[in-house]
Amino acid sequence: MTDKNSFDAEIGIIGYGPTGVSAANFLGAAGISTLAIERDKDIYSRARAITVNDWTMRIYQSVGLDDALKQGMDVTHSLRWIDYHGNELARLGFPPSDMGHARAYSIYQPEMEKTLRAGAERFSDHVKVRFGAEVTNVDQDAEGVTLEITDCNTGATETKRVRYVLACDGGSSATRDNLGIRLLGDTLKTRWIVIDARVKRWWPNRHVLTFWSDKERPVVDVALSMGNHRWEMPLGPEDKDSDFQTHDQIWNLLGTMGVTHEHVELHQHAFYNHHIRHAERWREGRVFLLGDAGHLMPPWAGAGMQSGVRDAQNLSWKLAGVLKGTLPESILDTYEVERAPDVERFTQIAVQLGRIIKQELTEEELAAMQPPPDAEPELPPLLQPPVIAAGWVSPGNAQAVGQFLPQPRAASSTGELGLLDHFLGDGFTILGADCDPSEAMTAEEKQGWEALGAQFLALRSADQHSQSDTDVIDIDGTLIAWLKAHGADVIALRPDRFIAAASGNLAVPA
């Protein structure tokens, strides 16, 4: 019998794909004991995700993995839409990002997961991984969760006791089914084929992420990193998976885009359907659904895997605070409140991009997408920064609250240069623009943030003397200008770099 008053780990992670292994890194860095259970020891060989952006890379920067990950990534050059007559319909370049990283990177998912697993191994004192096993039952009570774990080779079972569970076991999540949580939405009927290849010889504009726009055969044509390439295209109404089992049959598809044996060596292919689905709720007691276990979207925005990574970061710092006794358990209720709108935003962007690629938009819809001639240039929705409209943020009308803080170059008072987050640490930070933020707060506000272990830092202009050893220098002046444009001299930053409170109401969120 398992003693319900003792625990084998604080957190149990079911599934060790990109979402699960990311959570292991975040929890390990926070010193939280974690047990991950994964059926397959080998990393899945097929590259499913194709991209990460500046927000995701900044998340990995928080656990010191950004440089290692970039070794297996390429900066994405641009996007274009073309037709089969060679006409370029539209092109989208990537302007410089204000988050400290390139706007977008192409990846090779197996290599990325390899780096993430190596990252989690840094925290082996806290993070344990059980390969070759699966969770076959989840039984929770008021104090914790008992996991029944079955060895995939022997069938032997054992139980482990944890306080909370992160279900990262994918779109067909057995945990979600075990909890009786329904998956709402639709699975589209059209069958798609994914073709992966290794590049042998360059062809024109191979580095540009290309969408072949066509009503019958739209194609995603994308350069993955490390010399890999990917095509995704729909099968016709009369086509079957069995019609495309041999390389000869697949070459017929690639030939329509001018790709031959001279250009690539075929590696593997697979078939799938697009999903627009989400779980009816993302939490059941002490069990949380993350990534594909909680939501599935079409691939057009490249945000499926990344949404799981963002889920993991959002929930991990909150769980760490709850387990350490600095944050109330009620903060866990803000997980879905904060993440669901962002997932829905990217889902709708993906749906709309899919309609463009498949030439489904009417002339009126296309016209509505064009900005007025005298309008200020604006980032397209795909590139706009995230924002939190509701959740763990202080109420009020401050424009800065809920915004994602830019990350420019900065310096320490001793002249060390780096990206801003390097000087902010990994907890809560109260930041003042050309002022000591502690002097701008009431005693109650200051005490509230001190109880969370927050540090108080002054952001100084580069043309001023620093006044304290803890001052941070705004090298280019862009961050002080950003704060003033958002009506804030002082902000309270969460560990994930969203602004929780700002001038006018600097109280710790309830």
Side-chain angles (χ1 to χ4, degrees):
M1 298 288 291
T2 299
D3 182 355
K4 292 194 174 183
N5 295 317
S6 63
F7 295 88
D8 299 287
E10 300 282 5
I11 304 292
I13 298 175
I14 303 175
Y16 208 56
T19 300
V21 71
S22 294
N25 275 280
F26 305 144
L27 294 166
I32 303 299
S33 63
T34 302
L35 173 64
I37 300 96
E38 168 57 44
R39 178 187 304 171
D40 301 311
K41 184 170 185 179
D42 294 333
I43 293 171
Y44 190 54
S45 62
R46 187 167 68 82
R48 292 158 290 177
I50 62 173
T51 186
V52 298
N53 70 1
D54 46 3
W55 177 15
T56 300
M57 193 56 71
R58 189 175 178 185
I59 288 174
Y60 285 130
Q61 179 192 341
S62 72
V63 287
L65 286 177
D66 52 321
D67 287 339
L69 286 166
K70 287 178 185 178
Q71 295 302 309
M73 297 180 179
D74 297 327
V75 175
T76 302
H77 180 274
S78 57
L79 308 178
R80 65 173 179 165
W81 286 261
I82 66 174
D83 62 25
Y84 283 100
H85 300 292
N87 301 310
E88 186 170 294
L89 308 176
R91 182 179 284 251
L92 172 64
F94 291 105
S97 169
D98 61 3
M99 292 193 195
H101 302 279
R103 285 278 178 187
Y105 300 83
S106 64
I107 70 171
Y108 186 59
Q109 186 176 334
E111 183 67 20
M112 179 178 171
E113 290 191 48
K114 179 181 176 182
T115 302
L116 292 176
R117 285 191 178 188
E121 290 172 1
R122 299 172 298 169
F123 311 114
S124 57
D125 288 347
H126 305 298
V127 177
K128 309 297 181 184
V129 185
R130 170 75 184 278
F131 290 110
E134 57 185 348
V135 173
T136 47
N137 191 49
V138 176
D139 182 23
Q140 57 178 314
D141 52 60
E143 301 300 324
V145 185
T146 301
L147 300 175
E148 179 187 78
I149 302 172
T150 300
D151 188 289
C152 294
N153 292 322
T154 67
T157 63
E158 61 178 320
T159 58
K160 294 291 183 182
R161 184 89 169 139
V162 297
R163 295 188 187 274
Y164 295 95
V165 169
L166 309 186
C168 308
D169 49 347
S172 58
S173 171
T175 310
R176 186 184 62 232
D177 291 343
N178 181 284
L179 295 172
I181 298 176
R182 294 180 300 161
L183 195 61
L184 309 178
D186 298 307
T187 294
L188 305 186
K189 294 180 179 180
T190 301
R191 192 74 163 155
W192 287 70
I193 184 171
V194 180
I195 304 166
D196 287 332
R198 294 281 298 174
V199 175
K200 294 165 60 178
R201 180 179 296 179
W202 187 271
W203 61 92
N205 294 310
R206 180 251 163 191
H207 62 303
V208 179
L209 201 168
T210 299
F211 296 105
W212 296 76
S213 295
D214 186 77
K215 292 182 181 294
E216 301 299 327
R217 191 78 82 180
V219 178
V220 181
D221 177 347
V222 56
L224 305 182
S225 63
M226 306 182 72
N228 295 283
H229 207 91
R230 154 81 60 82
W231 294 268
E232 301 184 22
M233 62 187 74
L235 302 184
E238 306 302 323
D239 292 335
K240 303 182 293 295
D241 293 3
S242 57
D243 296 332
F244 300 95
Q245 296 302 311
T246 70
H247 283 184
D248 286 341
Q249 293 166 316
I250 290 173
W251 283 121
N252 291 332
L253 295 175
L254 297 183
T256 62
M257 294 169 285
V259 178
T260 70
H261 299 75
E262 294 183 353
H263 300 112
V264 298
E265 177 184 349
L266 294 182
H267 178 42
Q268 57 190 355
H269 66 281
F271 304 90
Y272 72 101
N273 293 78
H274 290 170
H275 305 280
I276 307 173
R277 311 190 74 179
H278 65 274
E280 59 182 337
R281 58 187 181 279
W282 294 14
R283 179 184 184 184
E284 181 68 28
R286 292 176 170 269
V287 183
F288 300 84
L289 304 181
L290 289 77
D292 286 355
H295 44 80
L296 296 150
M297 68 179 73
W300 307 111
M305 180 194 73
Q306 295 189 87
S307 293
V309 173
R310 296 160 189 168
D311 291 350
Q313 189 204 31
N314 182 287
L315 191 53
S316 292
W317 70 262
K318 294 172 181 176
L319 281 167
V322 170
L323 292 168
K324 293 177 180 179
T326 58
L327 290 171
E329 209 272 347
S330 60
I331 196 175
L332 301 180
D333 292 331
T334 67
Y335 162 58
E336 183 178 350
V337 171
E338 292 181 355
R339 288 295 306 134
D342 187 72
V343 168
E344 176 63 15
R345 176 170 78 99
F346 276 103
T347 299
Q348 293 309 314
I349 290 172
V351 169
Q352 193 74 346
L353 287 172
R355 294 187 66 212
I356 295 172
I357 295 161
K358 291 179 280 188
Q359 297 187 354
E360 292 178 349
L361 296 184
T362 64
E363 291 185 6
E364 291 77 11
E365 288 174 316
L366 286 170
M369 293 174 60
Q370 302 302 317
D374 56 348
E376 289 290 328
E378 185 178 83
L379 285 174
L382 182 64
L383 302 183
Q384 291 176 8
V387 64
I388 291 175
W392 200 77
V393 291
S394 289
N397 297 319
Q399 185 182 356
V401 173
Q403 299 292 320
F404 192 53
L405 190 72
Q407 182 184 208
R409 294 189 309 146
S412 69
S413 62
T414 58
E416 179 190 357
L417 299 176
L419 291 172
L420 176 69
D421 290 355
H422 175 72
F423 304 103
L424 300 186
D426 54 11
F428 296 96
T429 300
I430 315 301
L431 197 62
D434 274 331
C435 68
D436 180 347
S438 63
E439 295 180 356
M441 310 180 82
T442 67
E444 184 179 3
E445 289 171 342
K446 184 179 178 183
Q447 290 171 1
W449 289 107
E450 286 177 335
L452 298 183
Q455 57 178 338
F456 296 77
L457 303 178
L459 184 67
R460 304 293 182 186
S461 298
D463 58 359
Q464 296 181 357
H465 288 287
S466 66
Q467 301 178 31
S468 168
D469 290 344
T470 60
D471 283 355
V472 177
I473 313 303
D474 185 10
I475 291 292
D476 301 317
T478 56
L479 190 56
I480 291 177
W482 187 93
L483 290 171
K484 292 186 181 300
H486 285 77
D489 293 320
V490 178
I491 58 170
L493 273 180
R494 309 181 341 168
D496 58 5
R497 307 315 187 206
F498 284 96
I499 297 173
S503 302
N505 180 11
L506 286 162
V508 173

